[in-house]
Every structure is written in structure tokens, then in C-alpha cells.
Amino acid sequence: MKLATYKDGSRDGQLVVVARDLGLAHYASDICSRMQQLLDDWSFLAPQLQDLYEQLNAGRARHAFPFDPRQCMAPLPRAYQWADGSAYLNHVELVRKARGAEVPASFYTDPLMYQGGSDDFLGPCDDVALPSAAMGIDFEAEIAVITGDVKMGTAPEPALDAVRLLLLANDWSLRNLIPAELAKGFGFFQSKPATAFSPVAVTPDELGAAWQGGRVHLPLQSTWNGRRVGRCDAGPEMTFHFGQLIAHIAKTRNVRAGSVVGSGTVSNKDWSRGYSCIAEKRCIETIESGAPQTEFMQFGDTIRIEMLGADGKSVFGAIDQQLVSLDEIGR
């Protein structure tokens, strides 16, 4: 099934069921009103929502209405945990190669992850307000999952059973703040503002054969200022699958329902597929010609991130945002 959260003036919005073709929606309030409520009681509530989903797709839902992504918050508007990985090691290899550094051997056996802010996610069509373009503003097109409960010490394969929903993410980065933060030895903080998510989150069965081995085997498209700059294959080159990422988090702690886990920037060795973040393009330019030529984003720029299924239709809807100055909208 496909689910979204509509804005209603509250912090957590209203849960809605969305038709497979993203044309219609139906409030889920007679079953449960919030996404976290569903995640906390999945076994009881999900079958009821599945029934509503089937009625909606069959045209039998009496109170259906046209689905509007602009009314969406993030599917889970705030979460107990947002942990983002770097599961596509080609991205790491490019960054390291561009500065003449080797990739440590441990990177190929132990996932890289950081803990991001989870109290303030962005909706798919929300403007992105940031203080200064001099901070090196960059998009990052990713895939993410939302989990159920996972016990400490769970192995990667059983951890996959905890994947409740999949969605797309734009893990915004402020590239020019990153070096100083990493130099302190503690990792990302101010360089990672609020993350945006696709309008719709989907259960794994909606992906059919594209969901294999904890990976999504579909291309992820990035369109910057109306020009498609990336169509990267999200499947084969994902070094660590989602079960491995979840197990990595659960190594020393319990993972609770409503945790969001990101894949990191989707990246391919075939450069003709383009890029899912500007930093990667700049690394390629540095490797090829000695210096980057592509600038980071400016206020007024737009970014659209979307994944199409084998039928050519949007699976999650699109993240479609514009970058604006914080000073222009007021603090």
C-alpha cells in the first residue's frame, strides 16, 4: 500500500491512504490518524489500511479525493531516529580520489553512518530556507526505509523483515561547513539541515521484483533547475543493503518503530548516468581536469527527485523543492 501525511496545522498531520497511481487519496482517520500510531501497532492496523487501499484502487472508497503532493508533510513528519548511511561506496571512492586519498579497507566491511536531526523533516514540496549560499548548498538524492522494532544484535537478513515502508529522501548538505566539522572528530552537525522526503511511502510489496536483496532496483532521477542531471541505478551498486544498515545500528542498541534509515547518495561507476549530488560532479571534474567547475546551488534553484517504476509511473511521487534565503522569509 501507499501512505502519506497531509498537513492539518499540527506537528504530525493526518495519515492518508494513496491510490497506486497516486491519483486519489482517502483519510485513514477511522482506522488511525498518525503514521507513528500505525508503526507502533503495525500488525493490527496495517491489514485494515490494506483493505482501504484495495477499495481505493478499485474505485469503491466513498470519500476519496484527488491526491495533492503539495499538501503533504514528510510521510513520517518527525521521527525518533534518522540515521543516514553511505551505502554506495562509489560515492566515497570518488570523494577520496578527488583529494588523493585511499579508501580504508574497513569501509568495505563496516557501513559508514551518521545520526541526523529527526525533529524537523521537510515535506516534498516545501521551500528550503537556508542562511547563506556561501555554505555550499547541495542536494542528495537517496532512498530510505522506515522500520518497525528491531532488537539489539539482530543480524542483517532478519533485520530486513523490519522494513515497513520505503520512501525517497533529499538529505540536504552544506558542503563548505563539512571540512571544519569533520576536523573536530565528531562528524556532521550544522552541515546537515532538515531532510526532505517524498510525498508517499510504500510497503515493500508495492515494488514487486524491484525490491530484491534489501535493495531497490530502479533508477533514481535528479532534475536540477529543469535539467535532468542524474538517472542513477539504485540497485546493483548499493554495497550495503538496508538489512545491513539496520543491523549496523542495532549492534549496540534497540531500534524502535519509526526509525528512518537512509541509503546515502545513490551513485554509479558509470559516469554517463549522471549524479545524485553536486559534490560528486565536482569530484569527477577534479579527477578529469584538476579542479571543479560546477557551482553549488543558489537561492531560487529548484531540485526534483523521483523514481519511476517499470511501467514508467512515479512510485513515490516527487520531491520538488525550491531553495530560498532565510532572510527573505523572516526568521
Side-chain angles (χ1 to χ4, degrees):
M1 62 183 162
K2 298 190 175 187
L3 302 168
T5 294
Y6 257 36
K7 298 175 181 178
D8 67 353
S10 72
R11 293 182 187 271
D12 299 302
Q14 286 286 325
L15 184 66
V16 299
V17 177
V18 183
R20 181 171 288 113
D21 64 2
L22 308 183
L24 295 174
H26 195 291
Y27 281 107
S29 48
D30 286 348
I31 300 168
C32 63
S33 58
R34 303 285 188 267
M35 179 68 84
Q36 186 61 51
Q37 180 186 354
L38 166 62
L39 294 163
D40 286 338
D41 199 5
W42 184 268
S43 295
F44 179 67
L45 296 173
Q48 299 177 60
L49 290 173
Q50 180 69 34
D51 288 344
L52 177 56
Y53 179 63
E54 291 171 4
Q55 292 174 31
L56 185 61
N57 287 321
R60 298 197 305 268
R62 293 180 58 191
H63 302 293
F65 54 86
F67 177 61
D68 184 358
R70 294 169 297 180
Q71 298 301 315
C72 288
M73 305 172 77
L76 183 61
R78 51 179 176 165
Y80 289 113
Q81 178 167 226
W82 160 233
D84 197 22
S86 189
Y88 295 86
L89 284 193
N90 181 65
H91 175 75
V92 179
E93 291 167 350
L94 281 174
V95 171
R96 292 264 171 162
K97 185 175 182 179
R99 65 172 191 251
E102 296 291 328
V103 178
S106 63
F107 282 32
Y108 295 92
T109 58
D110 197 34
L112 286 169
M113 299 196 79
Y114 83 92
Q115 190 105 39
S118 60
D119 57 328
D120 184 29
F121 290 149
L122 296 174
C125 301
D126 291 347
D127 286 343
V128 182
L130 291 168
S132 171
M135 292 178 174
I137 303 169
D138 196 358
F139 66 89
E140 287 194 56
E142 305 186 7
I143 302 166
V145 300
I146 304 177
T147 77
D149 288 327
V150 183
K151 291 183 179 179
M152 189 189 316
T154 298
E157 293 307 319
L160 272 180
D161 293 336
V163 173
R164 297 288 180 257
L165 297 162
L166 293 103
L167 62 170
L168 303 181
N170 184 359
D171 179 41
W172 289 94
S173 289
L174 303 177
R175 299 293 184 185
N176 293 340
L177 302 187
I178 289 176
E181 291 201 313
L182 294 182
K184 293 179 180 179
F186 245 33
F188 304 128
F189 197 79
Q190 291 176 342
S191 55
K192 287 293 186 178
T195 301
F197 291 92
S198 55
V200 171
V202 311
T203 49
D205 61 288
E206 286 293 322
L207 295 171
W211 176 243
Q212 295 180 32
R215 300 171 175 88
V216 179
H217 293 261
L218 290 170
L220 182 62
Q221 296 184 171
S222 300
T223 304
W224 178 17
N225 289 336
R227 183 172 70 91
R228 192 171 74 187
V229 296
R231 193 174 185 272
C232 297
D233 191 338
E237 295 181 59
M238 188 179 186
T239 308
F240 301 103
H241 64 64
F242 277 109
Q244 291 170 297
L245 296 179
I246 296 168
H248 182 78
I249 304 170
K251 186 173 183 178
T252 59
R253 66 182 81 175
N254 294 316
V255 177
R256 295 306 186 191
S259 293
V260 187
V261 181
S263 68
T265 305
V266 176
S267 180
N268 293 156
K269 292 184 182 298
D270 180 359
W271 294 351
S272 70
R273 289 187 172 273
Y275 52 92
S276 298
C277 70
I278 302 168
E280 191 163 297
K281 174 63 171 174
R282 287 167 59 89
C283 287
I284 292 171
E285 291 168 345
T286 300
I287 293 166
E288 290 183 329
S289 62
Q293 288 98 43
T294 303
E295 299 295 331
F296 289 117
M297 297 180 75
Q298 301 298 315
F299 294 131
D301 282 7
T302 61
I303 181 65
R304 181 182 178 92
I305 297 168
E306 191 170 21
M307 180 171 275
L308 305 182
D311 59 1
K313 297 180 180 178
S314 185
V315 179
F316 306 93
I319 300 173
D320 198 352
Q321 298 182 286
Q322 183 172 38
L323 188 61
V324 299
S325 168
L326 182 63
D327 289 336
E328 290 181 8
I329 65 170
R331 296 180 184 275

